[in-house]
Coordinates of all heavy atoms in Angstrom, one line a residue:
N91 N -3.9 5.6 -19.2 CA -3.6 5.9 -20.6 C -4.5 7.1 -21.0 O -5.7 6.9 -21.2 CB -4.0 4.6 -21.4 CG -3.7 4.9 -23.0 OD1 -3.3 6.0 -23.3 ND2 -3.9 3.9 -23.7
R92 N -3.9 8.3 -21.0 CA -4.7 9.5 -21.4 C -4.3 9.8 -22.8 O -3.4 10.4 -23.1 CB -4.4 10.6 -20.5 CG -5.4 11.9 -20.7 CD -4.9 13.0 -19.9 NE -5.1 12.9 -18.4 CZ -4.4 13.5 -17.5 NH1 -3.3 14.2 -17.7 NH2 -4.8 13.3 -16.3
N93 N -5.3 9.4 -23.7 CA -5.2 9.6 -25.2 C -3.8 9.2 -25.7 O -3.2 10.0 -26.4 CB -5.5 11.2 -25.5 CG -6.7 11.6 -24.9 OD1 -7.8 10.9 -24.9 ND2 -6.8 12.8 -24.3
G94 N -3.4 8.1 -25.3 CA -2.1 7.5 -25.8 C -0.9 7.8 -25.0 O 0.1 7.3 -25.3
K95 N -1.1 8.8 -24.0 CA 0.0 9.1 -23.1 C -0.1 8.3 -21.8 O -1.1 8.3 -21.1 CB -0.1 10.5 -22.8 CG 1.2 11.2 -22.3 CD 0.9 12.6 -22.0 CE 2.1 13.5 -22.5 NZ 2.0 14.8 -22.1
L96 N 1.0 7.5 -21.5 CA 1.0 6.8 -20.2 C 1.6 7.6 -19.1 O 2.7 7.9 -19.0 CB 1.7 5.5 -20.5 CG 1.2 4.5 -21.5 CD1 2.0 3.2 -21.6 CD2 -0.3 4.1 -21.4
I97 N 0.6 7.8 -18.1 CA 1.0 8.4 -16.9 C 1.1 7.6 -15.7 O 0.1 6.9 -15.4 CB 0.0 9.6 -16.7 CG1 -0.1 10.5 -18.0 CG2 0.5 10.5 -15.5 CD1 -1.3 11.4 -18.1
G98 N 2.2 7.6 -14.9 CA 2.3 6.8 -13.8 C 2.0 7.5 -12.5 O 2.3 8.6 -12.3
Y99 N 1.3 6.6 -11.6 CA 0.8 7.2 -10.3 C 1.3 6.1 -9.2 O 1.5 5.0 -9.6 CB -0.7 7.2 -10.3 CG -1.3 8.3 -11.1 CD1 -1.6 8.1 -12.5 CD2 -1.7 9.5 -10.6 CE1 -2.1 9.0 -13.3 CE2 -2.2 10.5 -11.5 CZ -2.5 10.2 -12.8 OH -3.0 11.3 -13.6
N100 N 1.2 6.6 -8.0 CA 1.4 5.6 -6.9 C 0.2 5.9 -5.8 O 0.1 6.9 -5.3 CB 2.7 5.9 -6.1 CG 3.0 4.7 -5.2 OD1 2.2 4.4 -4.4 ND2 4.1 4.2 -5.3
T101 N -0.6 4.8 -5.8 CA -1.8 4.9 -5.0 C -1.7 4.2 -3.6 O -2.6 4.3 -2.8 CB -3.0 4.3 -5.7 OG1 -2.9 2.8 -5.7 CG2 -3.2 4.8 -7.0
D102 N -0.5 3.6 -3.3 CA -0.3 3.0 -2.0 C -0.5 3.9 -0.9 O -1.2 3.5 0.2 CB 1.1 2.2 -2.0 CG 1.1 0.9 -2.7 OD1 0.0 0.4 -2.8 OD2 2.2 0.5 -3.1
G103 N 0.2 5.0 -0.9 CA 0.2 5.9 0.3 C -1.2 6.5 0.6 O -1.6 6.4 1.8
I104 N -1.8 7.0 -0.4 CA -3.0 7.6 -0.3 C -4.1 6.5 0.1 O -5.0 6.7 0.9 CB -3.5 8.4 -1.5 CG1 -2.4 9.6 -1.5 CG2 -4.9 8.9 -1.4 CD1 -2.7 10.7 -2.5
G105 N -3.9 5.3 -0.6 CA -4.9 4.2 -0.2 C -4.7 3.8 1.2 O -5.7 3.6 1.9
Y106 N -3.5 3.8 1.7 CA -3.3 3.4 3.1 C -4.0 4.6 4.0 O -4.8 4.2 5.0 CB -1.8 3.5 3.5 CG -1.6 3.1 5.1 CD1 -1.8 1.8 5.5 CD2 -1.5 4.2 6.0 CE1 -1.7 1.6 6.9 CE2 -1.4 4.0 7.3 CZ -1.6 2.7 7.7 OH -1.6 2.4 9.2
L107 N -3.8 5.9 3.7 CA -4.4 6.9 4.5 C -5.9 6.8 4.5 O -6.6 7.0 5.5 CB -4.0 8.2 4.0 CG -4.3 9.5 4.7 CD1 -3.9 9.4 6.3 CD2 -3.7 10.8 4.2
R108 N -6.5 6.5 3.3 CA -7.9 6.4 3.2 C -8.5 5.2 4.1 O -9.4 5.3 4.7 CB -8.3 6.1 1.7 CG -8.3 7.3 0.9 CD -8.9 7.0 -0.5 NE -8.9 8.1 -1.3 CZ -9.3 8.0 -2.6 NH1 -9.8 6.9 -3.1 NH2 -9.3 9.1 -3.4
S109 N -7.7 4.1 4.1 CA -8.1 3.0 4.8 C -8.1 3.3 6.3 O -9.0 2.9 7.1 CB -7.3 1.6 4.5 OG -6.1 1.7 5.1
L110 N -7.0 4.0 6.7 CA -7.0 4.3 8.2 C -8.0 5.2 8.5 O -8.8 5.2 9.6 CB -5.6 5.0 8.5 CG -5.2 5.2 9.9 CD1 -5.0 3.9 10.6 CD2 -4.0 6.2 9.9
T111 N -8.3 6.3 7.6 CA -9.4 7.3 8.0 C -10.7 6.5 8.1 O -11.5 6.9 8.9 CB -9.4 8.3 6.8 OG1 -8.0 8.8 6.7 CG2 -10.4 9.4 7.0
N112 N -10.9 5.5 7.2 CA -12.3 4.9 7.2 C -12.4 4.1 8.5 O -13.6 4.0 9.1 CB -12.3 3.8 6.0 CG -13.6 3.4 5.8 OD1 -13.9 2.2 6.4 ND2 -14.5 4.1 5.2
H113 N -11.3 3.5 9.0 CA -11.5 2.7 10.2 C -11.2 3.5 11.5 O -11.9 3.2 12.5 CB -10.5 1.5 10.2 CG -10.8 0.4 9.2 ND1 -11.7 -0.6 9.6 CD2 -10.5 0.3 7.9 CE1 -11.8 -1.4 8.4 NE2 -11.2 -0.9 7.5
Y114 N -10.4 4.5 11.5 CA -10.2 5.3 12.6 C -10.3 6.8 12.4 O -9.3 7.5 12.4 CB -8.7 4.9 13.2 CG -8.7 3.4 13.7 CD1 -8.2 2.5 13.0 CD2 -9.3 3.1 14.9 CE1 -8.1 1.2 13.4 CE2 -9.2 1.8 15.4 CZ -8.7 0.8 14.6 OH -8.6 -0.5 15.0
P115 N -11.5 7.3 12.1 CA -11.6 8.6 11.7 C -11.2 9.6 12.7 O -10.4 10.7 12.4 CB -13.1 8.8 11.4 CG -13.7 7.6 11.9 CD -12.7 6.5 12.0
A116 N -11.4 9.4 14.0 CA -11.0 10.3 15.1 C -9.5 10.4 15.2 O -9.0 11.4 15.4 CB -11.6 9.9 16.4
F117 N -8.9 9.4 15.0 CA -7.4 9.3 15.1 C -6.7 10.1 14.1 O -5.9 11.0 14.3 CB -6.9 7.8 15.0 CG -5.3 7.8 15.0 CD1 -4.6 7.6 16.1 CD2 -4.6 8.0 13.9 CE1 -3.3 7.6 16.3 CE2 -3.2 8.0 13.9 CZ -2.5 7.6 15.0
V118 N -7.3 10.1 12.9 CA -6.7 10.7 11.8 C -6.8 12.3 11.8 O -6.1 13.1 11.3 CB -7.2 10.2 10.4 CG1 -6.7 11.0 9.2 CG2 -6.8 8.8 10.3
E119 N -7.9 12.8 12.6 CA -8.1 14.1 12.7 C -7.0 14.9 13.4 O -6.7 16.0 13.3 CB -9.4 14.4 13.5 CG -10.5 14.6 12.5 CD -11.9 14.5 13.1 OE1 -12.0 15.1 14.3 OE2 -12.8 14.0 12.5
D120 N -6.3 14.2 14.4 CA -5.3 14.8 15.2 C -3.9 14.5 14.6 O -3.3 13.4 14.8 CB -5.4 14.2 16.6 CG -4.3 14.8 17.5 OD1 -3.5 15.7 17.1 OD2 -4.2 14.4 18.7
R121 N -3.5 15.4 13.9 CA -2.2 15.3 13.1 C -0.9 15.4 14.0 O 0.2 15.2 13.5 CB -2.0 16.3 12.0 CG -3.2 16.2 11.0 CD -3.2 14.8 10.3 NE -3.8 14.9 8.9 CZ -4.9 14.5 8.5 NH1 -5.7 14.0 9.3 NH2 -5.2 14.6 7.1
Q122 N -1.1 15.6 15.3 CA 0.0 15.7 16.2 C 0.4 14.3 16.8 O 1.4 14.2 17.7 CB -0.3 16.7 17.4 CG -0.6 18.1 17.0 CD 0.5 18.7 16.2 OE1 1.7 18.7 16.6 NE2 0.2 19.3 15.0
K123 N -0.2 13.3 16.4 CA -0.1 11.9 16.9 C 1.4 11.5 16.6 O 1.9 11.9 15.6 CB -1.0 11.0 16.4 CG -2.5 11.3 16.8 CD -2.8 10.6 18.1 CE -4.2 10.4 18.3 NZ -4.8 10.8 19.5
N124 N 1.9 10.6 17.5 CA 3.3 10.1 17.1 C 3.1 8.7 16.4 O 2.4 7.8 16.9 CB 4.0 9.8 18.4 CG 4.5 11.1 19.1 OD1 5.2 11.9 18.4 ND2 4.2 11.3 20.3
V125 N 3.7 8.7 15.3 CA 3.6 7.5 14.4 C 5.0 6.8 14.3 O 6.0 7.5 14.2 CB 3.1 7.9 13.0 CG1 3.0 6.7 12.0 CG2 1.8 8.7 13.2
L126 N 5.0 5.5 14.4 CA 6.3 4.7 14.0 C 6.0 3.8 12.9 O 5.1 3.0 12.8 CB 6.5 3.8 15.3 CG 7.6 2.8 15.1 CD1 9.0 3.6 14.9 CD2 7.8 1.8 16.2
L127 N 6.9 3.9 11.8 CA 6.8 3.1 10.7 C 7.9 2.1 10.9 O 9.0 2.4 11.0 CB 7.1 4.1 9.6 CG 6.7 3.8 8.1 CD1 5.3 3.4 8.0 CD2 7.0 5.0 7.3
L128 N 7.4 0.7 10.8 CA 8.5 -0.3 10.8 C 8.8 -0.8 9.4 O 7.7 -1.1 8.7 CB 7.9 -1.5 11.6 CG 7.6 -1.3 13.1 CD1 6.9 -2.6 13.7 CD2 8.9 -1.0 13.9
G129 N 10.0 -0.7 8.9 CA 10.2 -1.0 7.5 C 10.5 0.2 6.8 O 10.1 1.3 7.0
A130 N 11.3 0.0 5.7 CA 11.7 1.2 4.8 C 11.8 0.7 3.3 O 12.6 1.3 2.6 CB 13.0 1.8 5.2
G131 N 10.9 -0.1 2.9 CA 10.8 -0.5 1.5 C 9.9 0.4 0.8 O 9.5 1.6 1.2
G132 N 9.5 -0.1 -0.4 CA 8.6 0.7 -1.3 C 7.3 1.2 -0.6 O 6.9 2.3 -0.8
A133 N 6.6 0.2 0.1 CA 5.3 0.5 0.7 C 5.5 1.6 1.8 O 4.8 2.5 1.9 CB 4.7 -0.7 1.2
A134 N 6.6 1.5 2.7 CA 6.9 2.4 3.7 C 7.1 3.8 3.1 O 6.6 4.8 3.7 CB 8.0 2.0 4.5
R135 N 7.8 3.9 2.0 CA 8.2 5.1 1.4 C 6.9 5.9 1.0 O 6.7 7.1 1.1 CB 9.0 4.8 0.1 CG 9.9 5.8 -0.2 CD 10.9 5.3 -1.3 NE 11.5 6.5 -1.9 CZ 12.6 7.0 -1.4 NH1 13.2 6.5 -0.4 NH2 13.2 8.0 -2.0
A136 N 6.0 5.2 0.3 CA 4.7 5.7 -0.2 C 3.8 6.1 1.1 O 3.2 7.2 1.1 CB 4.0 4.7 -1.0
I137 N 3.8 5.3 2.1 CA 2.9 5.7 3.2 C 3.5 6.9 4.0 O 2.8 7.7 4.4 CB 2.8 4.5 4.2 CG1 2.1 3.3 3.6 CG2 2.2 4.8 5.5 CD1 2.0 2.0 4.2
Y138 N 4.8 6.9 4.2 CA 5.4 8.1 4.9 C 5.1 9.4 4.1 O 4.7 10.3 4.7 CB 7.0 7.8 4.9 CG 7.7 9.0 5.6 CD1 8.1 9.0 6.9 CD2 8.2 10.0 4.7 CE1 8.7 10.0 7.5 CE2 8.9 11.1 5.3 CZ 9.2 11.1 6.7 OH 9.8 12.2 7.2
Y139 N 5.4 9.2 2.8 CA 5.1 10.5 2.0 C 3.6 11.0 2.1 O 3.4 12.2 2.3 CB 5.5 10.2 0.6 CG 5.5 11.5 -0.3 CD1 6.6 12.4 -0.1 CD2 4.6 11.8 -1.2 CE1 6.7 13.6 -0.8 CE2 4.7 12.9 -2.0 CZ 5.7 13.8 -1.8 OH 5.8 15.0 -2.5
A140 N 2.7 10.0 2.0 CA 1.4 10.4 2.0 C 0.8 11.0 3.4 O 0.2 12.0 3.5 CB 0.4 9.2 1.7
L141 N 1.3 10.3 4.5 CA 1.0 10.8 5.9 C 1.6 12.2 6.1 O 1.0 13.0 6.6 CB 1.5 9.7 6.9 CG 0.8 8.4 7.1 CD1 1.5 7.7 8.2 CD2 -0.6 8.6 7.4
N142 N 2.8 12.3 5.7 CA 3.5 13.6 5.8 C 2.9 14.8 5.0 O 2.6 15.8 5.5 CB 5.0 13.5 5.4 CG 5.9 14.4 6.3 OD1 5.5 15.5 6.3 ND2 6.8 13.8 7.0
Q143 N 2.5 14.4 3.8 CA 1.8 15.4 2.9 C 0.4 15.8 3.5 O 0.0 17.0 3.4 CB 1.5 14.8 1.6 CG 2.8 14.6 0.6 CD 3.1 16.0 0.1 OE1 2.2 16.8 -0.4 NE2 4.4 16.2 0.0
S144 N -0.2 14.9 4.3 CA -1.5 15.1 4.9 C -1.3 15.9 6.2 O -2.4 16.2 6.8 CB -2.3 13.9 5.0 OG -1.9 13.3 6.2
G145 N -0.1 16.1 6.7 CA 0.0 16.9 7.9 C 0.6 16.3 9.1 O 0.9 16.8 10.1
F146 N 0.8 14.9 9.0 CA 1.4 14.2 10.2 C 3.0 14.5 10.1 O 3.5 14.4 9.1 CB 1.3 12.6 10.1 CG 0.0 12.1 10.4 CD1 -1.0 12.0 9.4 CD2 -0.3 11.9 11.7 CE1 -2.3 11.5 9.8 CE2 -1.6 11.5 12.2 CZ -2.6 11.3 11.1
Q147 N 3.5 15.1 11.3 CA 4.8 15.5 11.3 C 5.8 14.6 12.0 O 6.9 14.5 11.8 CB 5.0 16.8 12.0 CG 4.1 17.9 11.5 CD 4.1 19.2 12.4 OE1 5.1 19.5 13.1 NE2 3.0 19.9 12.5
F148 N 5.1 13.9 13.0 CA 6.0 13.0 14.0 C 6.0 11.6 13.5 O 5.1 10.8 14.0 CB 5.4 13.2 15.4 CG 5.4 14.7 15.8 CD1 4.3 15.4 15.8 CD2 6.7 15.3 16.2 CE1 4.3 16.8 16.2 CE2 6.7 16.6 16.6 CZ 5.5 17.3 16.6
I149 N 6.7 11.3 12.5 CA 6.7 9.9 12.0 C 8.2 9.5 12.1 O 9.0 9.9 11.3 CB 6.3 9.7 10.5 CG1 5.0 10.6 10.2 CG2 6.2 8.4 10.1 CD1 4.6 10.8 8.8
D150 N 8.5 8.5 13.0 CA 9.8 7.9 13.1 C 9.8 6.6 12.2 O 8.8 6.0 12.0 CB 10.1 7.6 14.5 CG 10.3 8.9 15.4 OD1 10.4 9.9 14.7 OD2 10.3 8.8 16.6
I151 N 11.1 6.3 11.8 CA 11.2 5.1 10.9 C 12.2 4.2 11.5 O 13.3 4.5 11.8 CB 11.6 5.5 9.5 CG1 10.8 6.7 8.9 CG2 11.6 4.3 8.5 CD1 11.4 7.3 7.7

Side-chain angles (χ1 to χ4, degrees):
N91 183 354
R92 187 185 287 149
N93 306 320
K95 199 181 227 192
L96 296 184
I97 306 163
Y99 294 81
N100 189 311
T101 69
D102 277 339
I104 294 185
Y106 177 80
L107 187 56
R108 281 186 182 182
S109 78
L110 188 69
T111 306
N112 191 268
H113 289 271
Y114 294 102
F117 177 92
V118 173
E119 267 171 35
D120 180 1
R121 302 294 212 254
Q122 299 303 309
K123 296 273 202 229
N124 284 311
V125 181
L126 173 67
L127 207 47
L128 297 174
R135 207 172 168 83
I137 291 170
Y138 177 89
Y139 192 69
L141 288 182
N142 213 306
Q143 288 280 320
S144 83
F146 283 95
Q147 303 171 35
F148 303 101
I149 312 169
D150 291 347
I151 312 165

